[in-house]
Amino acid sequence: MLEDRKNVVVTGGTGFVGKKLTQLLLDNGYSVTILSRTAKEYSAGVSYAQWNVEDGTIDEQAILGANYIVHLAGENIGAKRWTRNRKKAILDSREQSTQLLLATLQKYNKQLDAFISASGVGIYGAITDDVLCSETTPAANDFLGTVCQKWESAAQPIRDLGIRTVYIRTGLVLGKGDGVLQQLVPLFKLRLGSAIGSGKQFMPWIHIDDLCRIYLEAIINPEVQGPYNAAINDGTTNSIFSKTLASILGYSIWLPNVPAFLLQIVLGEMAQLVLTGRRVTSNKIEAIGFKFEFTQLNLALKNCLDK
């Protein structure tokens, strides 16, 4: 019966990852409460509760009924040019939303089985080098590194409450019909795709199915705590990614690389997102027995493009 299920509160549950994770949780016998700015109709196994981070309001009953919280909410880093106001919105959306959840937990001395927060491999910085970044690699002091570091730090007081706290440092998420492929595939189908900048920047990626399974592992496995990288360490660079995607679509790239200076003109500082990239290892999550289903880029891309 529904009332016997453990409940997972998901922030950002209507997004690309959130929707897929919600279905996986339902399939594994959990009920899900999605925190949303707008009220929505109840559906089988899923309820909706309202919160407004800017106003500091939240449906406290939803938190009181939670066994777990999975915190995915945050302004899309790559959606708009990084103006001063946009940077502030990106950071505030992560810090303030975490602080609102913390305040509610503290108010009622609410204990959870686990608090699991999204983070990003951007914590290691907008850098291209051959260093293999593990969870012990220091955070960078650039914008991406600072955002991820402060996002994780905002959840530290939750850990101090005695709640098992996990940070999933996510790479480039590949999935059907959304995310980065939604932006790239139409261009590549027109045979207008090419590598970007030097093409040597690393693109640590993960299939959305594997990412959601990591979140499920973090819920189920009490040994999982602290930061975990969630990306495949196969040395994929932007050039390799672009050539592989073109090959799957039936052609070889013929256009020259997109010059870095053009992207810097168009995107400003946000060009770092596509012009830089570091290698990461997910040995830590694999060491506790997690096995990735998709470890080869071509097979992951084929799966995402399969209708």
Side-chain angles (χ1 to χ4, degrees):
M1 293 181 65
L2 183 61
E3 56 268 22
D4 295 328
R5 299 185 187 182
K6 285 208 167 187
N7 179 257
V8 183
V9 168
V10 181
T11 76
T14 58
F16 177 36
V17 175
K19 288 186 287 189
K20 189 78 173 181
L21 177 59
T22 294
Q23 188 57 56
L24 181 63
L25 292 171
L26 295 175
D27 292 344
N28 281 271
Y30 295 89
S31 65
V32 177
T33 300
I34 294 176
L35 280 181
S36 174
R37 288 175 64 96
T38 56
K40 299 188 178 182
E41 292 185 5
Y42 175 89
S43 57
V46 181
S47 58
Y48 291 86
Q50 285 186 273
W51 74 333
N52 188 311
V53 175
E54 292 179 0
D55 294 342
T57 59
I58 189 170
D59 185 336
E60 295 177 341
Q61 292 303 311
I63 303 302
L64 290 175
N67 299 105
Y68 303 89
I69 294 177
V70 175
H71 185 27
L72 305 176
E75 289 283 342
N76 186 335
I77 286 180
K80 298 178 183 178
R81 192 181 176 100
W82 288 350
T83 62
R84 181 181 298 178
N85 287 341
R86 182 62 184 167
K87 281 184 170 184
K88 185 176 186 302
I90 288 169
L91 181 56
D92 287 352
S93 67
R94 287 159 171 78
E95 279 193 305
Q96 293 177 5
S97 59
T98 307
Q99 290 164 356
L100 181 55
L101 294 168
L102 167 65
T104 310
L105 294 171
Q106 289 176 321
K107 180 177 179 180
Y108 293 99
N109 194 27
K110 167 68 178 177
Q111 282 295 306
L112 300 168
D113 292 336
F115 179 89
I116 303 153
S117 178
S119 184
V121 296
I123 195 168
Y124 306 118
I127 304 165
T128 300
D129 58 25
D130 290 323
V131 173
L132 187 58
C133 299
S134 72
E135 291 80 358
T136 59
T137 302
N141 60 6
D142 57 17
F143 177 62
L144 288 176
T146 299
V147 166
C148 293
Q149 184 178 32
K150 289 189 174 182
W151 196 3
E152 293 184 11
S153 295
Q156 179 62 43
I158 295 177
R159 182 180 180 183
D160 294 340
L161 295 176
I163 295 171
R164 180 168 63 89
T165 302
V166 185
Y167 315 99
I168 307 299
R169 295 175 176 172
T170 308
L172 180 72
V173 182
L174 305 180
K176 294 181 181 180
D178 208 338
V180 67
L181 290 180
Q182 185 181 43
Q183 300 172 347
L184 290 179
V185 169
L187 188 65
F188 273 74
K189 281 186 174 179
L190 293 173
R191 304 198 170 197
L192 297 175
S194 66
I196 295 172
S198 70
K200 297 178 180 179
Q201 63 273 34
F202 292 101
M203 293 180 65
W205 59 272
I206 185 169
H207 192 286
I208 192 169
D209 288 356
D210 281 333
L211 177 59
C212 291
R213 288 175 52 242
I214 286 176
Y215 276 101
L216 182 62
E217 181 74 16
I219 288 172
I220 293 172
N221 190 339
E223 294 182 16
V224 177
Q225 54 186 321
Y228 290 85
N229 290 336
I232 298 299
N233 172 30
D234 64 349
T236 291
T237 62
N238 179 264
S239 180
I240 291 171
F241 186 94
S242 301
K243 289 176 181 178
T244 304
L245 180 56
S247 176
I248 290 170
L249 293 173
Y251 71 99
S252 298
I253 287 178
W254 60 276
L255 288 171
N257 291 15
V258 179
F261 77 88
L262 285 181
L263 286 169
Q264 289 164 343
I265 291 172
V266 174
L267 301 177
E269 188 181 353
M270 195 175 76
Q272 294 176 4
L273 286 175
V274 292
L275 292 175
T276 64
R278 305 190 79 178
R279 297 185 67 184
V280 302
T281 171
S282 293
N283 287 347
K284 184 180 177 183
I285 192 71
E286 292 181 285
I288 60 170
F290 181 84
K291 296 186 182 300
F292 288 89
E293 181 180 352
F294 294 93
T295 58
Q296 298 180 47
L297 179 63
N298 64 327
L299 297 181
L301 289 173
K302 285 179 181 178
N303 175 268
C304 293
L305 298 177
D306 182 14
K307 296 181 179 179

